[in-house]
Amino acid sequence: MMEKMLTKTPALDLPTRPRRLRATPGLRRMVRETALNPADFIYPIFVTHGQQIRNPIASMPGIAQLSVDEAVREAEKTAELNIPAVLLFGLPAHKDPVGLENFAPDGIVQQAIRAIKQELPELVVITDVCLCEYTDHGHCGLLDDHGHVLNDETLPILIDVAVSHADAGADIVAPSGMMDGMVAALRGGLDVSGYSQLPIMSYAVKYASAFYGPFRDAADGAPKFGDRKTHQMDPANGREALREAALDVDEGADFLMVKPALAYLDIIRQLRDHFPELPLAAYNVSGEYAMLKAAAANGWLDEEKAVMETLTSIKRAGADLIITYHALAAASWLR
Ligand code: PBG
């Protein structure tokens, strides 16, 4: 019966049949446009004071706040998986209005940089340069008497932070606070301190996003009042992203970044097209990680397939580098 129906199906005059190239795994592999590689990944690490500490972060299963010794072990795993870089965030022992530990020679991030570089000189150590994890008010800059985030007054502190990270041996500094002029300020401050060779990875395009929620538990950096909407970008704005990126290019940024990644794949693509000469990073942020982990934990998604599809989409959109909490898992799946 079935056979009869099939033989009666008239041949269509279809010269183009995309299915021809999807017929076998070999063919699909030959025409695959985007390939993930461990060299695409940057792995974030949260460093905290103490010894042998791994404080799991409830909203980010698999991620923990690590003491320096444990951070070195995590960095070793990263290097073994052929991932080229880690991105360090610090949890200070004390917080104050300025965030003094942020630029202290023995601050938590400075200790971690030295320990990691001593053990793994080849691993690229990138550091977050911002105030929010260190200030008692949780804002990304100094505040005036009305609680407003000051711009120009914050820049010298960012310079002190970046130079102290460079002194400790950081390979790249990544300012994330969205202060105007932060890249120019850091470039100038690093240059006069003898670090003209130290690259700046600018969080050029960073949106005021709901997807940073779990990170703020991880890094204990939630603002104690208000929000970040006076400096981070409005999620509704795309053209403004090009303006932000152009400024950072002018100011001397060596890398551009879009953050978050998933709700902003169109922005990644626009930056890739408008600034083809600069390496482009995308930050697959904590909330994006938490969504997939939660769905996978419930058995609603196949974790490996969903993660790899997600990371592939970020690369396909135009990112050269993906900062992701999935880095270790993804690199081991790629093996
Ligand atoms: C600020 C900073 C944040 C993230 C990275 N750097 C939080 C914020 O801007 O509120 C978020 C990263 C993530 O969600 O994974 N220093």
Side-chain angles (χ1 to χ4, degrees), residues 89 128 130 132-133 176 203 206 211-212 215-216 228 232 259 283 285-286 325:
F89 295 95
D128 185 71
C130 191
C132 60
E133 294 115 50
S176 65
Y203 287 65
K206 177 171 176 181
F211 290 96
Y212 306 148
F215 174 95
R216 291 178 186 174
R228 307 216 200 286
Q232 298 179 350
K259 176 184 173 184
Y283 201 139
V285 300
S286 57
Y325 306 99

Side-chain angles (χ1 to χ4, degrees), residues 152-323:
D152 300 14
E153 293 80 351
T154 298
L155 300 179
I157 301 193
L158 296 179
I159 295 172
D160 287 347
V161 174
V163 170
S164 82
H165 291 172
D167 286 342
D171 296 295
I172 300 176
V173 290
S176 65
M178 289 297 280
M179 294 298 114
D180 290 336
M182 68 183 182
V183 173
L186 289 194
R187 188 68 277 152
L190 289 166
D191 288 359
V192 298
S193 307
Y195 297 114
S196 59
Q197 296 304 309
L198 195 92
I200 298 174
M201 178 182 284
S202 179
Y203 287 65
V205 177
K206 177 171 176 181
Y207 287 92
S209 171
F211 290 96
Y212 306 148
F215 174 95
R216 291 178 186 174
D217 300 337
D220 188 25
K224 296 291 174 288
F225 59 88
D227 54 40
R228 307 216 200 286
K229 289 181 185 163
T230 69
H231 44 104
Q232 298 179 350
M233 284 179 54
D234 184 334
N237 292 0
R239 295 191 305 268
E240 190 186 348
L242 299 178
R243 191 174 183 227
E244 276 286 359
L247 280 170
D248 284 14
V249 173
D250 281 349
E251 292 178 26
D254 299 283
F255 298 80
L256 294 175
M257 192 197 301
V258 173
K259 176 184 173 184
L262 290 185
Y264 301 89
L265 293 174
D266 58 325
I267 308 298
I268 295 174
R269 168 49 54 194
Q270 287 194 62
L271 256 68
R272 162 50 64 238
D273 292 344
H274 279 82
F275 304 97
E277 60 283 338
L278 263 78
L280 179 61
Y283 201 139
N284 176 217
V285 300
S286 57
E288 300 172 339
Y289 177 82
M291 287 194 297
L292 289 191
K293 293 298 278 190
N298 277 294
W300 297 338
L301 284 176
D302 176 317
E303 180 173 352
E304 176 175 344
K305 287 184 179 142
V307 167
M308 295 313 255
E309 182 176 333
T310 297
L311 297 176
T312 300
S313 78
I314 297 169
K315 192 160 180 202
R316 192 194 62 233
D320 302 298
L321 295 162
I322 306 171
I323 303 167

Side-chain angles (χ1 to χ4, degrees), residues 59-106:
S59 51
M60 301 175 73
I63 304 295
Q65 299 170 345
L66 306 175
S67 51
V68 171
D69 52 324
E70 293 290 333
V72 172
R73 290 186 44 198
E74 199 81 349
E76 278 165 1
K77 282 187 222 159
T78 309
E80 275 162 23
L81 285 161
N82 236 347
I83 296 166
V86 292
L87 170 60
L88 301 183
F89 295 95
L91 290 108
H94 300 287
K95 301 194 187 216
D96 56 76
V98 176
L100 293 172
E101 191 181 321
N102 211 351
F103 46 90
D106 60 347

